[in-house]
Amino acid sequence: MFKIKERIKGHNIAYKLFLFMAIIIGNSGYAQDDKTTPLINIWHLDNYDMGGQEYGPKKKEKDDYIFFKEDMTYTSKSEGKEEAGTYILNNNGAYILMSDKNGETIKAYIISISKKSLVLKYDINEIRNIEVHYNSPNQTHKL
């Protein structure tokens, strides 16, 4: 009888250890997903920041947006022109590398990101010192 209790006790500890490890591993995977989740969204152009001065979008930019999708593709509208392509998110360098269907590539540094706001600096000579602010009124877009 004593040996049976020890055997059951041993299995109970192993079972609890297994559950504990499963929870830890499961939560760490979820936390990793959380880092990239805010980018997967529709981002609407809000304003530009040039040396601390904010400027609203021009009339032809009113409907500009970028839609980053889970499958690493994007669609965007810039001054009425729609584009689509693929992107790579580099967490270490904090940038997005977007390539359109014509093979043109644009690098955008992520200045800040949250569920409601995305601030980018594009690696383009003419606008290199301008922060481009986007917002997401829906916070997250369900795909």
Side-chain angles (χ1 to χ4, degrees):
M1 174 94 167
F2 184 73
K3 287 185 179 184
I4 293 174
K5 282 186 179 180
E6 280 185 10
R7 214 180 220 179
I8 291 171
K9 198 179 209 180
H11 284 289
N12 194 16
I13 291 171
Y15 178 72
K16 286 180 182 177
L17 182 61
F18 171 77
L19 282 178
F20 176 74
M21 293 302 291
I23 289 169
I24 295 296
I25 291 168
N27 282 340
S28 68
Y30 180 75
Q32 187 175 6
D33 288 346
D34 258 356
K35 291 178 186 173
T36 58
T37 301
L39 185 65
I40 311 301
N41 212 335
I42 297 176
W43 298 100
H44 301 276
L45 178 61
D46 186 40
N47 64 59
Y48 300 99
D49 186 322
M50 292 186 272
Q53 290 283 342
E54 286 188 13
Y55 298 93
K58 297 175 185 173
K59 200 175 208 177
K60 60 184 175 181
E61 299 173 321
K62 278 283 187 205
D63 296 323
D64 285 8
Y65 69 88
I66 302 175
F67 180 14
F68 292 106
K69 301 176 187 179
E70 253 180 299
D71 65 358
M72 305 304 284
T73 62
Y74 74 92
T75 57
S76 67
K77 186 176 188 182
S78 179
E79 296 183 357
K81 182 182 174 190
E82 293 194 9
E83 292 182 356
T86 59
Y87 71 93
I88 297 169
L89 173 63
N90 183 316
N91 284 325
N92 293 334
Y95 67 84
I96 307 162
L97 200 58
M98 295 174 275
S99 301
D100 68 14
K101 292 181 179 180
N102 299 325
E104 291 185 42
T105 302
I106 296 175
K107 188 178 200 177
Y109 292 95
I110 300 170
I111 304 305
S112 68
I113 188 168
S114 70
K115 289 181 180 179
K116 295 181 184 180
S117 166
L118 173 65
V119 180
L120 299 176
K121 265 193 177 181
Y122 288 91
D123 192 12
I124 300 171
N125 284 336
E126 297 83 23
I127 62 169
R128 186 166 283 143
N129 295 321
I130 299 172
E131 290 184 356
V132 183
H133 292 245
Y134 297 90
N135 67 34
S136 180
N138 300 330
Q139 293 183 14
T140 55
H141 181 78
K142 302 291 180 191
L143 300 174

